[in-house]
Amino acid sequence: MDTNRMARAFAPFETLAADLIPHAADGDDGSHDIAHILRVFRNAMAIQAEEGGNARILAAAVLLHDCVAVEKNSPHRAQASRLAAEKASGILRELGWADEDIAATAHAITTHSFSANLPPETLEAKMLQDADRLDAIGMVGAARCFYIAGRLGSGLYDPFDPLASERPLDDKRFAIDHFETKLFKLADGFQTETGRKLAEARHDRLKTVLAMFIDEI
């Protein structure tokens, strides 16, 4: 797909998207590719329409929030969002952005990550975090969970104790353990009222996915 066609998908920020898409998705991780960025953008714009805030800063933060790739199983995973914020700052500086807008975008990127465990302090940062976490729950979240498990060489489940009734949860070995260790916890941490409402429906879908999976095995 050409850059201009992709940029149009990010309306009304087509020009910004055209500038930033070449930097947006780093590496070959299909759970953090341009499709993920577009889903997060749509989530973010839906939240911003209700919550307000600076849509341009939010759009730039969405487009660049995964501009540095660090694998989920890397010991440096917690540094990914900080590294992305640093890279994003340089990109926006070259585009002539004002220092305060660069700082606001960088803060949103730095604090969006679950692994970084840093509190978002601005509305734009809260909206980016919510928009990104919406993509980790629901049907897409389940699909991404299984995709990442395959990418990292994990099994789908423990065939003798799938729900970890008599063993410790281990989401590095079994994909469905990740539902309990992380995914089911995300809905409680949303920052905006709009994000929380959207998360409730996706959380229910995630529970349904696991219930159907367990029923079939």
Side-chain angles (χ1 to χ4, degrees), residues 41-89:
F41 175 79
R42 289 170 175 163
N43 293 339
M45 292 300 105
I47 295 171
Q48 191 274 334
E50 298 294 328
E51 302 287 336
N54 189 313
R56 176 171 172 263
I57 286 172
L58 179 60
V62 169
L63 282 156
L64 295 175
H65 79 279
D66 282 335
C67 66
V68 172
V70 180
E71 285 283 9
K72 290 285 189 182
N73 59 353
S74 169
H76 305 296
R77 177 63 186 171
Q79 302 302 315
S81 63
R82 179 183 60 79
L83 295 172
E86 291 174 358
K87 181 177 177 181
S89 296

Side-chain angles (χ1 to χ4, degrees), residues 115-129:
S115 302
N117 195 30
L118 296 169
E121 296 177 356
T122 65
L123 178 56
E124 293 75 24
K126 293 175 181 179
M127 290 190 290
L128 174 60
Q129 187 181 100

Side-chain angles (χ1 to χ4, degrees), residues 157 209-217:
Y157 64 97
V209 169
L210 181 60
M212 291 191 298
F213 186 94
I214 294 298
D215 179 68
E216 291 188 11
I217 64 174

Side-chain angles (χ1 to χ4, degrees), residues 3 6 16-26 34 63-64 67 87 91:
T3 300
M6 283 191 283
L16 179 64
D19 288 335
L20 299 184
I21 282 172
H23 309 283
D26 184 31
I34 194 67
L63 282 156
L64 295 175
C67 66
K87 181 177 177 181
I91 293 166

Side-chain angles (χ1 to χ4, degrees), residues 6-196:
M6 283 191 283
R8 289 196 296 272
F10 290 88
F13 295 100
E14 297 95 333
T15 301
L16 179 64
D19 288 335
L20 299 184
I21 282 172
H23 309 283
D26 184 31
D28 62 352
D29 181 355
S31 66
H32 294 90
D33 57 3
I34 194 67
H36 162 71
I37 292 168
L38 181 56
R39 292 192 303 270
V40 174
F41 175 79
R42 289 170 175 163
N43 293 339
M45 292 300 105
I47 295 171
Q48 191 274 334
E50 298 294 328
E51 302 287 336
N54 189 313
R56 176 171 172 263
I57 286 172
L58 179 60
V62 169
L63 282 156
L64 295 175
H65 79 279
D66 282 335
C67 66
V68 172
V70 180
E71 285 283 9
K72 290 285 189 182
N73 59 353
S74 169
H76 305 296
R77 177 63 186 171
Q79 302 302 315
S81 63
R82 179 183 60 79
L83 295 172
E86 291 174 358
K87 181 177 177 181
S89 296
I91 293 166
L92 295 177
R93 192 168 292 112
E94 289 182 2
L95 291 174
W97 276 46
D99 288 345
E100 59 268 28
D101 290 345
I102 293 173
T105 305
H107 171 71
I109 293 171
T110 301
T111 59
H112 88 273
S113 170
F114 184 89
S115 302
N117 195 30
L118 296 169
E121 296 177 356
T122 65
L123 178 56
E124 293 75 24
K126 293 175 181 179
M127 290 190 290
L128 174 60
Q129 187 181 100
D130 282 2
D132 188 59
R133 292 189 180 185
L134 281 172
D135 205 51
I137 57 178
M139 296 299 295
V140 171
R144 291 177 71 208
C145 175
F146 290 123
Y147 168 86
I148 293 168
R151 182 180 174 86
L152 300 181
S154 303
L156 289 177
Y157 64 97
D158 180 342
F160 306 108
D161 188 4
L163 291 177
S165 300
E166 299 178 359
R167 64 173 177 84
L169 289 162
D170 186 354
D171 62 355
K172 290 182 173 60
R173 291 182 63 200
F174 306 115
I176 68 168
D177 284 21
H178 195 60
F179 283 62
E180 195 63 49
T181 59
K182 179 181 177 181
L183 302 185
F184 284 154
K185 298 176 181 178
L186 292 178
D188 291 331
F190 277 71
Q191 301 288 330
T192 67
E193 183 62 27
T194 305
R196 282 190 289 274

